[in-house]
Amino acid sequence: MRTRTLLPFAAASLVLLTSAGAVAQTAPATKPTKATKPVPKAEPKPEPKPEPEPTPEPATTEPAATEESATAKQSAVEPPPETWDIKDVEENPNKTYLFVGLRYRGNVVPKFMLNAFVDEGKTIYSNSIGVQLDIRKNGFSLIPGIQYTEYGTGDLLFKQKGTNDFVGNYTLVNSGLKAIYVTADLLWSTPINKNFAFEYGAGFGLGVMFGDLVNNWVAVDPNGEIGSDSGRRFTRCQSVGPVGSGCNKVDHQNSAEDKVGNYVEKSWAGGGSVPNVFPWIAFPQIGVRFKPIKNFVGRANLGFSLTGFWFGFSAEYGLEQKPKP
């Protein structure tokens, strides 16, 4: 009884549930009511960016250069290294070159020059050797030097200039004089070709004289060993002779001494006629300069000086050195 009462109720509940589900599936959706626009959610405030650190100033020291950059910089500042060719004899006009060497000079006093002051006599030849330093720049050479000169002669018969043939006007001279000169040559040059140059200039110096000058009177002797240009024969006076023999000071003008027995003339310092010093003046002076390699220079010169004509040769070693690598 109870079960029959519940069945209709359960059936009615099932129908209601079924109808409600169908209505829920078929009924159109209701339009939602207009809602207020939602407020956007506030975004969090971004954190401030950190301030950039200041750029550091460049260091005062230059960065280490690479090997290539250092080489390039050096080549831009320094001239290229000198090359060395022993046969390259060209000289830089802005550079000073030094040479040291030896020289020889022969001096000739011709008889005609002597005869300008005395009669008789003969040509005199003397020798000189020396050392020199050649200081050269831009084609000009200053050559200081020290020179030894031998003025030795044999017996020379002289007669007083313009006098008669009287024996008292003759004398016999034999020189053993020597000198040491300090000189300086000033030479300019004009190139002829690569190895040769023409030189011209002058020389100056001063010499100290020493040695003996024998001045001996002569007497007429047909068998004498001394002959004159006129053919007369003489012999030297060994002692004072009678007046008129030529061996007495009365026979000679202005003589305070008896010049017999190989009389040696006094120097200027002793009141005599032999100079203590003598100048060296050579003008003009010309020659040829020869330079086959860097370290050798040869010269051949000639000129005129107070003691006559001279010629000379010199050889010099150059002090220019090969550049170090």
Side-chain angles (χ1 to χ4, degrees):
M1 185 78 176
R2 182 173 180 91
T3 306
R4 289 181 178 178
T5 305
L6 293 174
L7 284 173
F9 180 77
S13 298
L14 182 59
V15 170
L16 287 175
L17 288 172
T18 306
S19 301
V23 171
Q25 292 179 356
T26 58
T30 59
K31 185 177 182 181
T33 58
K34 186 176 182 182
T36 60
K37 187 176 182 181
V39 179
K41 187 182 290 185
E43 296 181 359
K45 187 175 181 181
E47 296 181 3
K49 296 182 179 180
E51 295 183 2
E53 296 182 2
T55 304
E57 296 183 358
T60 55
T61 59
E62 296 183 358
T66 63
E67 184 178 353
E68 292 183 359
S69 61
T71 304
K73 185 176 180 180
Q74 183 179 10
S75 62
V77 176
E78 299 179 359
E82 295 184 14
T83 57
W84 180 264
D85 181 358
I86 194 68
K87 294 184 179 180
D88 181 9
V89 296
E90 184 177 356
E91 296 176 346
N92 186 337
N94 298 316
K95 183 177 179 180
T96 299
Y97 297 86
L98 300 178
F99 303 85
V100 292
L102 301 173
R103 73 185 182 199
Y104 167 82
R105 288 178 177 175
N107 195 88
V108 181
V109 185
K111 184 176 184 296
F112 74 84
M113 290 184 64
L114 290 174
N115 291 157
F117 307 97
V118 294
D119 293 332
E120 300 288 337
K122 63 181 180 180
T123 296
I124 300 173
Y125 185 83
S126 58
N127 299 284
S128 300
I129 56 173
V131 295
Q132 62 186 31
L133 171 66
D134 185 351
I135 307 170
R136 184 172 178 82
K137 183 178 182 180
N138 194 21
F140 170 75
S141 288
L142 171 62
I143 309 177
I146 299 176
Q147 173 179 301
Y148 168 78
T149 300
E150 171 69 58
Y151 288 117
T153 67
D155 290 335
L156 298 174
L157 182 67
F158 291 118
K159 184 171 79 75
Q160 188 174 348
K161 181 71 175 177
T163 59
N164 58 31
D165 206 25
F166 174 61
V167 67
N169 294 326
Y170 286 87
T171 190
L172 186 70
V173 174
N174 190 310
S175 173
L177 293 175
K178 305 168 183 63
I180 294 179
Y181 288 94
V182 176
T183 64
D185 293 341
L186 290 76
L187 298 176
W188 289 262
S189 62
T190 299
I192 299 173
N193 59 28
K194 176 184 175 182
N195 301 108
F196 288 88
F198 173 72
E199 290 190 314
Y200 50 93
F204 305 92
L206 188 65
V208 177
M209 306 289 294
F210 57 97
D212 293 335
L213 179 66
V214 175
N215 186 2
N216 210 112
W217 294 333
V218 295
V220 177
D221 182 355
N223 299 316
E225 74 276 14
I226 304 165
S228 69
D229 292 344
S230 62
R232 298 184 69 184
R233 309 298 298 179
F234 301 92
T235 189
R236 69 189 69 221
C237 296
Q238 299 295 339
S239 60
V240 176
V243 175
S245 66
C247 298
N248 192 296
K249 60 184 176 183
V250 176
D251 300 333
H252 300 270
Q253 297 180 8
N254 304 319
S255 179
E257 302 283 346
D258 290 311
K259 298 181 180 182
V260 297
N262 293 325
Y263 176 82
V264 177
E265 288 284 356
K266 297 177 182 178
S267 67
W268 286 350
S273 59
V274 178
N276 296 104
V277 294
F278 196 77
W280 168 262
I281 301 176
F283 180 82
Q285 181 172 329
I286 60 174
V288 175
R289 182 177 187 264
F290 173 55
K291 187 178 183 182
I293 58 175
K294 283 182 179 293
N295 297 113
F296 178 80
V297 169
R299 281 188 172 87
N301 303 93
L302 58 88
F304 181 78
S305 69
L306 293 180
T307 55
F309 299 98
W310 64 270
F311 66 92
F313 307 96
S314 66
E316 299 175 340
Y317 174 75
L319 301 182
E320 184 180 3
Q321 298 295 320
K322 183 177 180 179
K324 296 182 179 180

mmCIF file of all heavy atoms in Angstrom, residues 71-102:
data_model
loop_
_atom_site.group_PDB
_atom_site.id
_atom_site.type_symbol
_atom_site.label_atom_id
_atom_site.label_comp_id
_atom_site.label_asym_id
_atom_site.label_seq_id
_atom_site.Cartn_x
_atom_site.Cartn_y
_atom_site.Cartn_z
ATOM 1 N N THR A 71 107.867 48.939 -35.535
ATOM 2 C CA THR A 71 108.797 49.029 -36.668
ATOM 3 C C THR A 71 108.391 50.144 -37.614
ATOM 4 O O THR A 71 109.228 50.905 -38.112
ATOM 5 C CB THR A 71 108.848 47.692 -37.417
ATOM 6 O OG1 THR A 71 109.192 46.653 -36.495
ATOM 7 C CG2 THR A 71 109.865 47.738 -38.548
ATOM 8 N N ALA A 72 107.071 50.261 -37.853
ATOM 9 C CA ALA A 72 106.586 51.313 -38.762
ATOM 10 C C ALA A 72 106.866 52.688 -38.187
ATOM 11 O O ALA A 72 107.283 53.601 -38.889
ATOM 12 C CB ALA A 72 105.094 51.133 -39.013
ATOM 13 N N LYS A 73 106.666 52.827 -36.867
ATOM 14 C CA LYS A 73 106.913 54.118 -36.237
ATOM 15 C C LYS A 73 108.384 54.487 -36.287
ATOM 16 O O LYS A 73 108.755 55.622 -36.555
ATOM 17 C CB LYS A 73 106.433 54.069 -34.788
ATOM 18 C CG LYS A 73 106.542 55.415 -34.071
ATOM 19 C CD LYS A 73 105.949 55.309 -32.683
ATOM 20 C CE LYS A 73 106.051 56.662 -31.968
ATOM 21 N NZ LYS A 73 105.481 56.586 -30.602
ATOM 22 N N GLN A 74 109.240 53.494 -36.041
ATOM 23 C CA GLN A 74 110.668 53.746 -36.084
ATOM 24 C C GLN A 74 111.130 54.145 -37.476
ATOM 25 O O GLN A 74 111.926 55.051 -37.642
ATOM 26 C CB GLN A 74 111.413 52.498 -35.621
ATOM 27 C CG GLN A 74 112.934 52.688 -35.555
ATOM 28 C CD GLN A 74 113.620 51.442 -35.063
ATOM 29 O OE1 GLN A 74 112.990 50.401 -34.947
ATOM 30 N NE2 GLN A 74 114.896 51.539 -34.772
ATOM 31 N N SER A 75 110.575 53.483 -38.485
ATOM 32 C CA SER A 75 110.983 53.808 -39.851
ATOM 33 C C SER A 75 110.487 55.173 -40.268
ATOM 34 O O SER A 75 111.073 55.820 -41.119
ATOM 35 C CB SER A 75 110.451 52.743 -40.819
ATOM 36 O OG SER A 75 109.038 52.715 -40.786
ATOM 37 N N ALA A 76 109.378 55.639 -39.633
ATOM 38 C CA ALA A 76 108.865 56.960 -39.985
ATOM 39 C C ALA A 76 109.706 58.064 -39.362
ATOM 40 O O ALA A 76 109.725 59.181 -39.855
ATOM 41 C CB ALA A 76 107.405 57.100 -39.518
ATOM 42 N N VAL A 77 110.435 57.759 -38.268
ATOM 43 C CA VAL A 77 111.203 58.772 -37.567
ATOM 44 C C VAL A 77 112.673 58.715 -37.958
ATOM 45 O O VAL A 77 113.297 59.725 -38.247
ATOM 46 C CB VAL A 77 111.045 58.596 -36.041
ATOM 47 C CG1 VAL A 77 111.931 59.596 -35.303
ATOM 48 C CG2 VAL A 77 109.592 58.768 -35.653
ATOM 49 N N GLU A 78 113.236 57.520 -37.986
ATOM 50 C CA GLU A 78 114.646 57.372 -38.244
ATOM 51 C C GLU A 78 114.912 57.157 -39.732
ATOM 52 O O GLU A 78 114.123 56.522 -40.421
ATOM 53 C CB GLU A 78 115.209 56.183 -37.460
ATOM 54 C CG GLU A 78 115.066 56.340 -35.952
ATOM 55 C CD GLU A 78 115.622 55.138 -35.223
ATOM 56 O OE1 GLU A 78 116.084 54.198 -35.912
ATOM 57 O OE2 GLU A 78 115.587 55.122 -33.982
ATOM 58 N N PRO A 79 116.060 57.706 -40.218
ATOM 59 C CA PRO A 79 116.404 57.451 -41.624
ATOM 60 C C PRO A 79 116.772 55.996 -41.808
ATOM 61 O O PRO A 79 117.159 55.309 -40.867
ATOM 62 C CB PRO A 79 117.617 58.366 -41.854
ATOM 63 C CG PRO A 79 118.197 58.564 -40.498
ATOM 64 C CD PRO A 79 117.036 58.547 -39.550
ATOM 65 N N PRO A 80 116.659 55.512 -43.006
ATOM 66 C CA PRO A 80 117.018 54.115 -43.246
ATOM 67 C C PRO A 80 118.491 53.890 -42.964
ATOM 68 O O PRO A 80 119.305 54.800 -43.107
ATOM 69 C CB PRO A 80 116.703 53.918 -44.743
ATOM 70 C CG PRO A 80 116.728 55.295 -45.316
ATOM 71 C CD PRO A 80 116.249 56.200 -44.226
ATOM 72 N N PRO A 81 118.876 52.724 -42.517
ATOM 73 C CA PRO A 81 120.284 52.465 -42.208
ATOM 74 C C PRO A 81 121.161 52.594 -43.447
ATOM 75 O O PRO A 81 120.748 52.310 -44.557
ATOM 76 C CB PRO A 81 120.262 51.016 -41.691
ATOM 77 C CG PRO A 81 119.019 50.419 -42.274
ATOM 78 C CD PRO A 81 118.029 51.538 -42.356
ATOM 79 N N GLU A 82 122.397 53.100 -43.201
ATOM 80 C CA GLU A 82 123.321 53.289 -44.304
ATOM 81 C C GLU A 82 123.801 51.939 -44.828
ATOM 82 O O GLU A 82 124.069 51.017 -44.069
ATOM 83 C CB GLU A 82 124.524 54.118 -43.845
ATOM 84 C CG GLU A 82 124.166 55.548 -43.452
ATOM 85 C CD GLU A 82 125.412 56.345 -43.104
ATOM 86 O OE1 GLU A 82 126.523 55.872 -43.419
ATOM 87 O OE2 GLU A 82 125.278 57.416 -42.513
ATOM 88 N N THR A 83 123.888 51.886 -46.126
ATOM 89 C CA THR A 83 124.461 50.690 -46.727
ATOM 90 C C THR A 83 125.963 50.901 -46.887
ATOM 91 O O THR A 83 126.437 52.029 -46.941
ATOM 92 C CB THR A 83 123.818 50.420 -48.091
ATOM 93 O OG1 THR A 83 124.007 51.576 -48.939
ATOM 94 C CG2 THR A 83 122.324 50.137 -47.933
ATOM 95 N N TRP A 84 126.701 49.818 -46.947
ATOM 96 C CA TRP A 84 128.165 49.900 -47.008
ATOM 97 C C TRP A 84 128.657 49.195 -48.256
ATOM 98 O O TRP A 84 128.474 48.002 -48.427
ATOM 99 C CB TRP A 84 128.769 49.262 -45.764
ATOM 100 C CG TRP A 84 130.266 49.304 -45.769
ATOM 101 C CD1 TRP A 84 131.113 48.315 -46.185
ATOM 102 C CD2 TRP A 84 131.104 50.370 -45.339
ATOM 103 N NE1 TRP A 84 132.422 48.711 -46.040
ATOM 104 C CE2 TRP A 84 132.457 49.965 -45.523
ATOM 105 C CE3 TRP A 84 130.853 51.630 -44.824
ATOM 106 C CZ2 TRP A 84 133.525 50.771 -45.197
ATOM 107 C CZ3 TRP A 84 131.935 52.440 -44.505
ATOM 108 C CH2 TRP A 84 133.239 52.018 -44.686
ATOM 109 N N ASP A 85 129.257 49.994 -49.121
ATOM 110 C CA ASP A 85 129.883 49.461 -50.326
ATOM 111 C C ASP A 85 131.264 50.086 -50.406
ATOM 112 O O ASP A 85 131.390 51.310 -50.552
ATOM 113 C CB ASP A 85 129.038 49.790 -51.561
ATOM 114 C CG ASP A 85 129.644 49.219 -52.840
ATOM 115 O OD1 ASP A 85 130.732 48.596 -52.768
ATOM 116 O OD2 ASP A 85 129.033 49.386 -53.916
ATOM 117 N N ILE A 86 132.307 49.287 -50.264
ATOM 118 C CA ILE A 86 133.667 49.794 -50.202
ATOM 119 C C ILE A 86 134.045 50.590 -51.446
ATOM 120 O O ILE A 86 134.899 51.487 -51.398
ATOM 121 C CB ILE A 86 134.662 48.628 -49.998
ATOM 122 C CG1 ILE A 86 136.044 49.153 -49.580
ATOM 123 C CG2 ILE A 86 134.756 47.772 -51.242
ATOM 124 C CD1 ILE A 86 136.081 49.764 -48.227
ATOM 125 N N LYS A 87 133.368 50.312 -52.578
ATOM 126 C CA LYS A 87 133.676 51.022 -53.825
ATOM 127 C C LYS A 87 132.782 52.236 -54.056
ATOM 128 O O LYS A 87 132.966 52.945 -55.049
ATOM 129 C CB LYS A 87 133.554 50.063 -55.006
ATOM 130 C CG LYS A 87 134.600 48.954 -54.989
ATOM 131 C CD LYS A 87 134.506 48.078 -56.229
ATOM 132 C CE LYS A 87 135.575 46.992 -56.220
ATOM 133 N NZ LYS A 87 135.503 46.127 -57.430
ATOM 134 N N ASP A 88 131.850 52.467 -53.140
ATOM 135 C CA ASP A 88 130.998 53.654 -53.233
ATOM 136 C C ASP A 88 131.752 54.821 -52.598
ATOM 137 O O ASP A 88 131.802 54.967 -51.382
ATOM 138 C CB ASP A 88 129.674 53.413 -52.513
ATOM 139 C CG ASP A 88 128.740 54.616 -52.617
ATOM 140 O OD1 ASP A 88 129.057 55.558 -53.382
ATOM 141 O OD2 ASP A 88 127.707 54.629 -51.925
ATOM 142 N N VAL A 89 132.375 55.654 -53.429
ATOM 143 C CA VAL A 89 133.252 56.722 -52.927
ATOM 144 C C VAL A 89 132.558 58.079 -52.877
ATOM 145 O O VAL A 89 133.205 59.095 -52.623
ATOM 146 C CB VAL A 89 134.523 56.808 -53.795
ATOM 147 C CG1 VAL A 89 135.333 55.541 -53.685
ATOM 148 C CG2 VAL A 89 134.175 57.086 -55.261
ATOM 149 N N GLU A 90 131.260 58.103 -53.117
ATOM 150 C CA GLU A 90 130.535 59.372 -53.040
ATOM 151 C C GLU A 90 130.551 59.886 -51.609
ATOM 152 O O GLU A 90 130.382 59.128 -50.650
ATOM 153 C CB GLU A 90 129.093 59.185 -53.516
ATOM 154 C CG GLU A 90 128.303 60.490 -53.557
ATOM 155 C CD GLU A 90 126.905 60.291 -54.090
ATOM 156 O OE1 GLU A 90 126.581 59.158 -54.503
ATOM 157 O OE2 GLU A 90 126.119 61.269 -54.083
ATOM 158 N N GLU A 91 130.751 61.192 -51.452
ATOM 159 C CA GLU A 91 130.840 61.796 -50.128
ATOM 160 C C GLU A 91 129.646 62.708 -49.885
ATOM 161 O O GLU A 91 129.307 63.555 -50.725
ATOM 162 C CB GLU A 91 132.145 62.582 -49.990
ATOM 163 C CG GLU A 91 133.378 61.699 -50.072
ATOM 164 C CD GLU A 91 134.686 62.478 -50.044
ATOM 165 O OE1 GLU A 91 134.644 63.715 -50.228
ATOM 166 O OE2 GLU A 91 135.735 61.854 -49.838
ATOM 167 N N ASN A 92 129.036 62.531 -48.730
ATOM 168 C CA ASN A 92 127.898 63.364 -48.321
ATOM 169 C C ASN A 92 128.408 64.774 -48.032
ATOM 170 O O ASN A 92 129.292 64.953 -47.178
ATOM 171 C CB ASN A 92 127.252 62.764 -47.069
ATOM 172 C CG ASN A 92 125.983 63.491 -46.660
ATOM 173 O OD1 ASN A 92 125.777 64.657 -47.003
ATOM 174 N ND2 ASN A 92 125.136 62.818 -45.920
ATOM 175 N N PRO A 93 127.886 65.800 -48.713
ATOM 176 C CA PRO A 93 128.420 67.161 -48.508
ATOM 177 C C PRO A 93 128.202 67.700 -47.105
ATOM 178 O O PRO A 93 128.861 68.659 -46.706
ATOM 179 C CB PRO A 93 127.665 68.003 -49.557
ATOM 180 C CG PRO A 93 126.446 67.215 -49.870
ATOM 181 C CD PRO A 93 126.827 65.773 -49.740
ATOM 182 N N ASN A 94 127.276 67.107 -46.343
ATOM 183 C CA ASN A 94 126.997 67.573 -44.990
ATOM 184 C C ASN A 94 127.743 66.775 -43.921
ATOM 185 O O ASN A 94 127.539 66.989 -42.731
ATOM 186 C CB ASN A 94 125.493 67.503 -44.713
ATOM 187 C CG ASN A 94 124.691 68.385 -45.645
ATOM 188 O OD1 ASN A 94 125.070 69.529 -45.896
ATOM 189 N ND2 ASN A 94 123.595 67.878 -46.164
ATOM 190 N N LYS A 95 128.602 65.875 -44.348
ATOM 191 C CA LYS A 95 129.320 65.003 -43.412
ATOM 192 C C LYS A 95 130.813 65.293 -43.478
ATOM 193 O O LYS A 95 131.352 65.605 -44.534
ATOM 194 C CB LYS A 95 129.054 63.539 -43.775
ATOM 195 C CG LYS A 95 129.692 62.530 -42.836
ATOM 196 C CD LYS A 95 129.300 61.108 -43.251
ATOM 197 C CE LYS A 95 129.940 60.060 -42.359
ATOM 198 N NZ LYS A 95 129.570 58.677 -42.767
ATOM 199 N N THR A 96 131.482 65.213 -42.330
ATOM 200 C CA THR A 96 132.920 65.429 -42.264
ATOM 201 C C THR A 96 133.645 64.087 -42.335
ATOM 202 O O THR A 96 133.288 63.150 -41.610
ATOM 203 C CB THR A 96 133.304 66.155 -40.967
ATOM 204 O OG1 THR A 96 132.660 67.438 -40.934
ATOM 205 C CG2 THR A 96 134.815 66.361 -40.891
ATOM 206 N N TYR A 97 134.641 64.006 -43.196
ATOM 207 C CA TYR A 97 135.423 62.783 -43.373
ATOM 208 C C TYR A 97 136.853 63.040 -42.906
ATOM 209 O O TYR A 97 137.411 64.122 -43.152
ATOM 210 C CB TYR A 97 135.416 62.353 -44.832
ATOM 211 C CG TYR A 97 134.047 62.005 -45.362
ATOM 212 C CD1 TYR A 97 133.208 62.984 -45.878
ATOM 213 C CD2 TYR A 97 133.580 60.692 -45.342
ATOM 214 C CE1 TYR A 97 131.942 62.664 -46.361
ATOM 215 C CE2 TYR A 97 132.322 60.362 -45.817
ATOM 216 C CZ TYR A 97 131.515 61.352 -46.320
ATOM 217 O OH TYR A 97 130.263 61.041 -46.792
ATOM 218 N N LEU A 98 137.438 62.049 -42.258
ATOM 219 C CA LEU A 98 138.801 62.166 -41.744
ATOM 220 C C LEU A 98 139.706 61.120 -42.403
ATOM 221 O O LEU A 98 139.312 59.966 -42.561
ATOM 222 C CB LEU A 98 138.814 61.973 -40.223
ATOM 223 C CG LEU A 98 137.993 62.969 -39.401
ATOM 224 C CD1 LEU A 98 138.060 62.606 -37.925
ATOM 225 C CD2 LEU A 98 138.482 64.398 -39.616
ATOM 226 N N PHE A 99 140.898 61.568 -42.749
ATOM 227 C CA PHE A 99 141.906 60.685 -43.328
ATOM 228 C C PHE A 99 143.248 61.004 -42.660
ATOM 229 O O PHE A 99 143.543 62.171 -42.377
ATOM 230 C CB PHE A 99 142.038 60.888 -44.835
ATOM 231 C CG PHE A 99 140.764 60.695 -45.608
ATOM 232 C CD1 PHE A 99 139.847 61.734 -45.756
ATOM 233 C CD2 PHE A 99 140.472 59.476 -46.212
ATOM 234 C CE1 PHE A 99 138.674 61.563 -46.472
ATOM 235 C CE2 PHE A 99 139.308 59.294 -46.927
ATOM 236 C CZ PHE A 99 138.403 60.342 -47.059
ATOM 237 N N VAL A 100 144.055 59.991 -42.431
ATOM 238 C CA VAL A 100 145.411 60.185 -41.922
ATOM 239 C C VAL A 100 146.373 59.541 -42.916
ATOM 240 O O VAL A 100 146.058 58.520 -43.536
ATOM 241 C CB VAL A 100 145.593 59.569 -40.525
ATOM 242 C CG1 VAL A 100 144.789 60.316 -39.492
ATOM 243 C CG2 VAL A 100 145.224 58.088 -40.518
ATOM 244 N N GLY A 101 147.543 60.177 -43.063
ATOM 245 C CA GLY A 101 148.447 59.617 -44.064
ATOM 246 C C GLY A 101 149.852 60.172 -44.003
ATOM 247 O O GLY A 101 150.212 60.964 -43.120
ATOM 248 N N LEU A 102 150.639 59.750 -44.984
ATOM 249 C CA LEU A 102 152.027 60.153 -45.135
ATOM 250 C C LEU A 102 152.189 60.923 -46.442
ATOM 251 O O LEU A 102 151.438 60.713 -47.392
ATOM 252 C CB LEU A 102 152.942 58.924 -45.158
ATOM 253 C CG LEU A 102 152.902 58.014 -43.924
ATOM 254 C CD1 LEU A 102 153.743 56.764 -44.195
ATOM 255 C CD2 LEU A 102 153.414 58.743 -42.702
#
